[in-house]
Amino acid sequence: MARRANSQRGLSMKSKLIMIAIMFVIINMFLSKNKKAFSLLELSIVIVIIGVLLVGVIGSTGMIGLQLVQILQNHPNIERVVCFSESHHGKRLSQLYPAFRGVLDQTLFQPEKSLICECDYLFIASPHGTSYSYVSIAMEYSIKVINLTSDFRFNDPLLYRYIFKKEHELIDALSLSKVVIPELNGQDIKLCPPKQISVLGCTSSAAILSLYPLLNSGLINGSSIIIDAKTSSSGSGKNTNSAQTHW
């Protein structure tokens, strides 16, 4: 936990990254036959270097997670993306998606507390109903969460029960979450950053973004709106039952 206690950044960042790169080359010479061992050692070195911004992605092999990893690894303010997967840990992303060989070669790690707690930010793109334990770890270590599941989109536990027909498993964290649509209330998180950002789904986002300018300008009456939305199989993730998503 020394890294989290010493969170000051910006001290000779370029020099540290150069040193890390040199170490990687040397280590890879000796461990090239053991890809998993090299990847674990690579991650452990990055974790203990002060100043490296670590962003974790849970569910990185899913449809949303895969796109998210591509965006994050090219972000100028992010130094390292750690990919987590419950079902494919130990493999590389490019093994699952050969088209990304040479582009997304990150090793997938089991989303264990000992690794999650070292992240500065945590994106959760796992299936709906699975983010509670990850959010609990993030809250314990003051890690900022961007949650793409539906688990924290409602602050009212009664409304959550009404919509999803089950009880919420982490009620204490509901009040710490804020639904954010960057185009509409993105400035709010700059003024008062929440501990968790909850991201809306594709259908609701499309409906809100298309209707907002019309409602805001008074061009339409909000009481007469009917949203007839269509989605393909990808709307429910890659592990859905084909009998429920194909007609």
Side-chain angles (χ1 to χ4, degrees), residues 34 53 123 128 161 170 182 215 240:
N34 190 339
L53 184 62
F123 285 81
H128 301 306
R161 182 173 62 184
L170 198 62
L215 290 167
T240 55

Side-chain angles (χ1 to χ4, degrees), residues 12-198:
S12 303
M13 175 63 73
K14 180 180 287 188
S15 298
K16 291 175 182 176
L17 293 178
I18 292 175
M19 291 176 62
I20 294 173
I22 295 174
M23 292 174 68
F24 287 169
V25 172
I26 296 174
I27 294 170
N28 195 32
M29 292 173 60
F30 295 97
L31 301 179
S32 59
K33 294 183 179 180
N34 190 339
K35 296 297 184 181
K36 182 176 181 181
F38 169 69
S39 300
L40 288 172
L41 186 55
E42 177 186 37
L43 178 62
S44 64
I45 292 174
V46 173
I47 282 178
V48 299
I49 298 296
I50 299 174
V52 176
L53 184 62
L54 282 177
V55 176
V57 179
I58 294 179
S60 55
T61 64
M63 292 180 174
I64 295 178
L66 184 65
Q67 298 299 318
L68 185 57
V69 171
Q70 294 181 73
I71 294 173
L72 292 174
Q73 75 170 7
N74 292 313
H75 195 287
N77 296 331
I78 295 174
E79 301 294 347
R80 174 76 180 189
V81 180
V82 183
C83 300
F84 294 105
S85 174
E86 287 278 6
S87 54
H88 299 290
H89 54 88
K91 299 179 180 178
R92 292 181 179 269
L93 266 176
S94 55
Q95 287 181 263
L96 304 177
Y97 299 97
F100 291 103
R101 186 176 293 117
V103 179
L104 298 179
D105 292 320
Q106 294 94 328
T107 295
L108 300 167
F109 295 94
Q110 178 78 21
E112 299 174 345
K113 183 176 182 178
S114 59
L115 293 179
I116 293 176
C117 72
E118 295 294 345
C119 294
D120 295 290
Y121 292 86
L122 184 67
F123 285 81
I124 304 178
S126 55
H128 301 306
T130 64
S131 73
Y132 304 111
S133 60
Y134 307 132
V135 171
S136 180
I137 295 172
M139 296 295 106
E140 180 181 352
Y141 290 93
S142 299
I143 302 169
K144 296 293 186 181
V145 176
I146 297 88
N147 198 330
L148 286 84
T149 76
S150 62
D151 299 343
F152 291 87
R153 292 174 184 166
F154 299 99
N155 295 122
D156 185 348
L158 296 179
L159 181 58
Y160 178 92
R161 182 173 62 184
Y162 174 77
I163 297 294
F164 295 102
K165 312 304 180 187
K166 62 178 182 179
E167 298 292 338
H168 198 277
E169 297 181 23
L170 198 62
I171 293 178
D172 292 343
L174 286 175
S175 61
L176 304 176
S177 181
K178 181 178 180 63
V179 174
V180 174
I181 300 178
E183 295 83 353
L184 301 183
N185 63 342
Q187 290 299 320
D188 294 349
I189 62 175
K190 294 182 179 180
L191 299 174
C192 185
K195 292 187 176 181
Q196 178 177 205
I197 292 175
S198 187

Side-chain angles (χ1 to χ4, degrees), residues 215-229:
L215 290 167
N216 192 46
S217 59
L219 295 176
I220 61 175
N221 183 350
S223 63
S224 61
I225 296 174
I226 297 176
I227 300 173
D228 184 6

